[in-house]
Amino acid sequence: MYKIIIDSCGELSEELKADGHFSNVPLELEVDGYRICDDESFDQKDFLRRVKESIKGPKSACPSPESYMSAYEGPEENVYVVTLSSKWSGSYKNIHVFNSKSASIGETIIGLKIQEFEEDGLPFEEVVTKVEEHIASMNTFFVLETLETLRKAGRLSNLKAMIANTLNIKPVMGSTKEGTIQQLGQARGMKKAMVQMVQDAIKCTKDCEKRVLAIAHCNCPERAQFVKEQVEKLAKFKKIVIVDTAGVSSMYANDGGIILAL
């Protein structure tokens, strides 16, 4: 028996919530003193409104150790934990904590990989080894409608954010192998940027037909569908998953943001 614990930066689809093997440990969000738990009670529209009106910008806090300990409890012999990239944050059982070196739907893909190996009957140590290898081969990409949250969080210069917002330039961003953020390119307008993001993703991915590709969107399902259609024009994947962003991912992606992980 096993369980897969993903901090709430990793979104769970309704299918995974009902699966029985997956659970989220919620982070906490704060906007100008107003605290929000990133669990089932998260109100995305209210949160995005507060972020838009905020001068200082939102903050997030890691789950408490007690939250993780509570999640570890149960009859399962093997417990797997997937966390937000260590570059971005902060009883006797077989427990391994995976540094996703990603975020959002990238964490979810890792959870699915753990499940695949567990269902295949692999021993705990082999599951850990194979999943770590998969993490090393993963890539995460994103295009945001606005860079304001990244700017307020100190992850982007004021000048770059101002130029992008003024000229409608949309940077295509991605994760490094260490789990930090890098700019991969840029395009004028969201549509062109999403097309470029897909092209960049397919170009650096081998054995697409053996992989799950996941798309997370912040309040823009039509953009997620557009990205899916662009992907299907270029490659065939084992499965394509689309989910709406939860709290932490909504904080960084902001209204209209798109995240792609594979």
Side-chain angles (χ1 to χ4, degrees):
M1 298 174 68
Y2 67 95
K3 69 166 61 175
I4 301 165
I5 301 167
I6 303 177
D7 69 35
S8 67
C9 189
E11 287 80 16
L12 297 183
S13 64
E14 293 304 317
E15 180 183 356
L16 293 182
K17 290 177 184 177
D19 180 274
H21 292 104
F22 291 83
S23 64
N24 274 133
V25 174
L27 282 81
E28 283 201 346
L29 311 174
E30 182 180 324
V31 186
D32 296 340
Y34 183 79
R35 299 183 72 84
I36 303 158
C37 186
D38 189 13
D39 57 14
E40 294 293 336
S41 66
F42 174 69
D43 186 333
Q44 187 188 72
K45 286 185 171 56
D46 180 69
F47 175 74
L48 293 174
R49 176 186 62 78
R50 292 177 183 275
V51 170
K52 188 174 182 180
E53 295 172 355
S54 172
I55 296 175
K56 294 182 179 179
K59 298 178 181 179
S60 64
C62 296
S64 67
E66 291 78 14
S67 296
Y68 276 113
M69 289 304 297
S70 177
Y72 295 158
E73 294 177 357
E76 296 83 4
E77 180 181 355
N78 296 339
V79 178
Y80 302 92
V81 183
V82 185
T83 71
L84 175 64
S85 169
S86 62
K87 300 291 185 180
W88 296 359
S89 58
S91 94
Y92 181 76
K93 290 188 177 186
N94 291 325
I95 297 175
H96 182 84
V97 179
F98 291 102
N99 174 1
S100 70
K101 300 182 182 177
S102 180
S104 183
I105 201 69
E107 295 183 42
T108 311
I109 285 183
I110 295 168
L112 288 171
K113 209 66 184 174
I114 294 169
Q115 182 180 44
E116 177 187 329
F117 294 139
E118 269 284 349
E119 296 293 342
D120 286 344
L122 300 184
F124 180 80
E125 293 78 9
E126 192 171 351
V127 172
V128 170
T129 299
K130 285 184 172 293
V131 172
E132 290 289 8
E133 290 173 353
H134 185 74
I135 290 173
S137 73
M138 277 180 56
N139 288 290
T140 306
F141 303 83
F142 59 93
V143 177
L144 308 184
E145 182 65 56
T146 174
L147 301 174
E148 277 304 290
T149 300
L150 286 177
R151 181 189 67 78
K152 290 174 182 176
R155 300 186 183 279
L156 200 67
S157 71
N158 288 344
L159 180 61
K160 181 177 287 187
M162 183 183 70
I163 292 174
N165 290 336
T166 301
L167 300 179
N168 195 30
I169 294 171
K170 307 299 180 186
V172 177
M173 313 290 284
S175 61
T176 65
K177 292 303 179 184
E178 294 74 32
T180 56
I181 298 173
Q182 62 180 335
Q183 181 173 339
L184 303 172
Q186 63 185 38
R188 191 175 293 271
M190 281 294 291
K191 195 166 187 178
K192 291 182 179 178
M194 288 188 291
V195 170
Q196 183 175 330
M197 175 181 70
V198 170
Q199 292 173 343
D200 290 345
I202 301 301
K203 194 179 299 182
C204 70
T205 305
K206 297 179 180 179
D207 300 323
C208 294
E209 67 281 355
K210 298 179 182 178
R211 287 181 173 268
V212 174
L213 179 143
I215 304 164
H217 67 89
C218 185
N219 196 35
C220 55
E222 69 290 339
R223 285 181 175 170
Q225 185 60 36
F226 174 78
V227 169
K228 179 176 183 287
E229 291 168 358
Q230 296 304 305
V231 167
E232 291 173 334
K233 289 179 182 178
L234 299 178
K236 181 176 178 58
F237 282 83
K238 180 179 179 180
K239 185 177 183 180
I240 297 179
V241 178
I242 297 178
V243 299
D244 198 357
T245 53
V248 176
S249 298
S250 294
M251 181 177 81
Y252 285 108
N254 221 308
D255 204 0
I258 286 286
I259 306 164
L260 179 68
L262 66 170

